[in-house]
Amino acid sequence: MNISVDDARIKAKALYEARATGRPVPPLTDENPALDMRDGYAVQRELVALLTGAGDRVVGYKAGLTSAPMQELFGVDTPDYGPVLASTVYDDGATTPGDAFIAPKVEAEIVFRLGSPLKGPGVTVAEARRAVAEVMAGLEIVDSRIEDWRIRLADTIADLASNGAVVLGPPVVLPEDCDVRLIGMAFSRNGELVATGAGAAALGDPAAVVAWLANVLGEHGVTLEAGQLIMTGALHAAVAMRPGDRFVAEFDRLGTVTLHVGDA
């Protein structure tokens, strides 16, 4: 690791203030290009401590870089993760303020809610499937507190894996024989189809994302708890979000989830 605890806290404070003010900060890796994944998580932990200390709470986790093209872009062979905070969860059909984010984009993805806890290491994909109680159509607003999205791996990890907010469709209980890999999705902005995808885009199987998260977090003594949300990763390339936009993701089996963006 290339960062001290004090330096991690300084960087976390800068990101915390960027979230509060809407003014992005230069990439952390500009000052120290050697920052790696472990350094990013060290900053992330300090940032989460600041946010929860101010009254927010962790209600789940998101996985990022779950597709092969995104992993190739960042030169890694594994996803990354960040917390989902209670203050960032919206219901289906919600309107988000047009100026609530810095440089937002929107992604459609499959979201799970756990019915039983999972703690790694050693969690299998089959065990992850059995732990899922509900499945939801989801929209993630990804946002970067780093200037102009000039992010390297350590930057996005430190910045809560670039998580901005999530919009959740109604929960669905799927039959045991439903293959979530094959759930298809059509994504529209302002009535125009802009992307399509399927569950298999997320690490080959969204349930594999749950198992991966349980095992990685388990190495740090963290358990995925019953009731927590698991965002399994984008099914397509992110689409820019602008004031006044209306986004709709239509999923096979899961129904529709809609996001309205307020005027600036």
Side-chain angles (χ1 to χ4, degrees):
M1 197 161 77
N2 303 290
I3 194 171
S4 68
V5 172
D6 286 344
D7 197 14
R9 288 173 178 164
I10 291 169
K11 289 176 168 52
K13 181 65 173 176
L15 288 169
Y16 180 85
E17 291 176 352
R19 294 173 68 89
T21 64
R23 293 192 294 270
V25 298
L28 309 183
T29 51
D30 275 5
E31 181 181 349
N32 185 352
L35 294 178
D36 59 18
M37 180 177 284
R38 291 178 301 167
D39 299 312
Y41 284 122
V43 177
Q44 184 189 112
R45 286 190 293 272
E46 297 295 336
L47 177 55
V48 172
L50 289 172
L51 292 165
T52 55
D56 217 330
R57 59 190 176 91
V58 174
V59 295
Y61 292 89
K62 66 154 286 184
L65 308 183
T66 53
S67 68
M70 288 303 294
Q71 290 182 11
E72 292 170 6
L73 178 65
F74 281 89
V76 296
D77 58 1
T78 182
D80 67 352
Y81 68 85
V84 177
L85 299 167
S87 65
T88 68
V89 178
Y90 292 84
D91 291 329
D92 179 32
T95 298
T96 65
D99 58 356
F101 305 97
I102 294 173
K105 305 176 184 182
V106 183
E107 304 170 343
E109 55 189 90
I110 293 170
V111 182
F112 294 134
R113 191 185 304 277
L114 298 183
S116 57
L118 286 171
K119 185 171 184 179
V123 173
T124 67
V125 175
E127 289 169 337
R129 286 195 192 102
R130 288 195 293 270
V132 171
E134 298 173 334
V135 189
M136 289 156 281
L139 294 174
E140 182 182 7
I141 300 172
V142 291
D143 195 21
S144 184
R145 277 60 61 169
I146 306 294
E147 290 176 348
D148 302 320
W149 279 98
R150 291 190 298 113
I151 52 173
R152 298 184 185 181
L153 184 60
D155 296 304
T156 183
I157 290 174
D159 190 23
L160 307 190
S162 302
N163 189 15
V166 58
V167 183
L168 300 176
V172 175
V173 178
L174 295 175
E176 290 185 9
D177 62 352
C178 179
D179 192 340
V180 182
R181 299 176 306 162
L182 305 182
I183 291 178
M185 182 279 306
F187 184 57
S188 301
R189 178 177 62 192
N190 302 328
E192 177 185 357
L193 182 68
V194 290
T196 59
L203 212 60
D205 183 345
V209 177
V210 179
W212 175 83
L213 267 171
N215 291 326
V216 170
L217 289 169
E219 294 174 0
H220 301 286
V222 177
T223 299
L224 294 180
E225 302 290 353
Q228 285 189 327
L229 300 171
I230 306 295
M231 300 171 63
T232 60
L235 305 183
H236 60 92
V239 177
M241 180 178 117
R242 303 164 301 204
D245 278 342
R246 179 177 182 268
F247 293 94
V248 179
E250 300 167 275
F251 285 78
D252 181 37
R253 301 275 190 146
L254 303 181
T256 298
V257 59
T258 300
L259 164 67
H260 304 273
V261 185
D263 294 327

